[in-house]
Amino acid sequence: HYPLMADNKEAKTAPTPAQPETQETRDVFRKMSEYLNGEISASTHEYQLLGKLNLIVANKYKGMQEKASKLNSFLRGLDEKYAKLEPYLKQVNQLHDNVAKMEQVVVQLDEYTKNLEDQFKAVYK
């Protein structure tokens, strides 16, 4: 069944219930647009914050790298100084060992002289 012309005229002149729905649809789209803009804005701020944090961390790591480099240079210098001192340290250790041996000899000599003195006193008594 095809609509009559008169029916079409009525449809044009009578207020359609779609007009309030159109306004509601516009409100929904506007609110969705506001929501999405807010989400995009929040994401943009988060990315900006992440960028700033990355710069801060990069600067901190750069400072740590500089400190590590200085520490490495300092340790190399200490190694060089130790290498120069090592022969002297070996001599000190040898001297210490010799002194310990001499102390043992002195103790033995002291015991020997005490025994000799005791024997000498026994002979001249």
Side-chain angles (χ1 to χ4, degrees):
H1 170 278
Y2 293 99
L4 298 174
M5 250 334 191
D7 290 338
N8 283 339
K9 287 182 182 178
E10 281 181 353
K12 289 181 183 177
T13 58
T16 62
Q19 287 176 350
E21 290 174 356
T22 305
Q23 184 61 37
E24 289 175 1
T25 304
R26 286 184 187 139
D27 288 344
V28 167
F29 280 118
R30 182 181 50 78
K31 289 179 181 179
M32 284 291 287
S33 175
E34 289 174 1
Y35 169 76
L36 291 174
N37 282 334
E39 287 293 316
I40 291 171
S41 176
S43 295
T44 302
H45 290 300
E46 287 175 1
Y47 282 120
Q48 289 172 349
L49 179 61
L50 283 173
K52 289 177 183 178
L53 289 174
N54 282 339
L55 288 175
I56 291 169
V57 169
N59 287 335
K60 184 172 183 173
Y61 282 133
K62 184 179 179 183
M64 289 171 67
Q65 178 188 12
E66 290 172 359
K67 287 179 184 178
S69 177
K70 288 177 183 178
L71 182 60
N72 192 22
S73 297
F74 176 74
L75 290 175
R76 267 192 250 120
L78 282 179
D79 284 343
E80 290 172 4
K81 289 176 184 177
Y82 180 78
K84 290 178 183 177
L85 286 176
E86 191 171 17
Y88 300 109
L89 293 173
K90 285 182 181 178
Q91 289 178 2
V92 167
N93 286 336
Q94 287 176 343
L95 186 61
H96 180 267
D97 292 343
N98 290 338
V99 167
K101 288 177 186 176
M102 284 181 67
E103 285 177 351
Q104 289 175 354
V105 169
V106 167
V107 168
Q108 290 173 354
L109 185 60
D110 189 45
E111 289 176 11
Y112 178 75
T113 55
K114 284 180 185 177
N115 287 335
L116 189 59
E117 183 181 359
D118 289 341
Q119 288 175 3
F120 189 71
K121 285 181 183 178
V123 169
Y124 283 108
K125 261 189 183 189

